[in-house]
Amino acid sequence: MNQEVTDFIAAIQEPWQVELSTNLREVVHQAIPEVTERIQYKKPHFLKNGKYAAVISTSKDAVSFTIFNAVGLELPEDMFDGPAERKTLKLRKGNAYDSKQLTLWLQQASSSI
């Protein structure tokens, strides 16, 4: 794990966003054991073979998790936004998500990277 990403997540103001970002980071590492991390564009980016696999971003009232290479994934339209090649799940305080399902989608999306 990249210390810059650890420090970035630790510096997030809202405790619920820290916890959610930490959990999403764990999902990425479960889905893509060989993932590399870096801070780019002031956000944690996760790469496989040098290509974007996922990104976590925070805003005032949400944490967004974007899956790249999402063409072909069967995702619930009411959960994800964005163009076919990258889909974003926007989570607000108190929102739940299925980490096992998210892990499977991320594995599927990153399998061809």
Side-chain angles (χ1 to χ4, degrees), residues 9 12 14-28 44 46 55-59 61-65 89-99 102:
I9 292 172
I12 296 171
E14 292 290 332
W16 70 270
Q17 289 181 318
V18 172
E19 181 180 352
L20 187 53
S21 296
T22 300
N23 293 343
L24 289 169
R25 185 185 192 189
E26 290 171 9
V27 163
V28 173
F46 303 89
V55 65
I56 296 171
S57 60
T58 57
S59 62
D61 67 342
V63 175
S64 295
F65 182 74
L89 173 64
K90 192 173 210 173
L91 298 163
R92 290 186 166 76
K93 188 174 186 175
N95 287 157
Y97 68 95
D98 183 338
S99 62
L102 196 56

Side-chain angles (χ1 to χ4, degrees), residues 49-102:
N49 298 324
K51 297 184 178 175
Y52 294 131
V55 65
I56 296 171
S57 60
T58 57
S59 62
K60 186 176 175 180
D61 67 342
V63 175
S64 295
F65 182 74
T66 302
I67 299 174
F68 289 84
N69 201 36
V71 174
L73 292 183
E74 292 186 26
L75 302 170
E77 288 184 30
D78 60 336
M79 284 178 63
F80 289 85
D81 294 318
E85 65 273 5
R86 64 181 182 280
K87 293 293 185 179
T88 300
L89 173 64
K90 192 173 210 173
L91 298 163
R92 290 186 166 76
K93 188 174 186 175
N95 287 157
Y97 68 95
D98 183 338
S99 62
K100 288 183 181 179
Q101 183 60 62
L102 196 56

Side-chain angles (χ1 to χ4, degrees), residues 5 10 13 36 41 65 72 87:
V5 173
Q13 297 286 321
T36 57
Y41 309 115
F65 182 74
K87 293 293 185 179

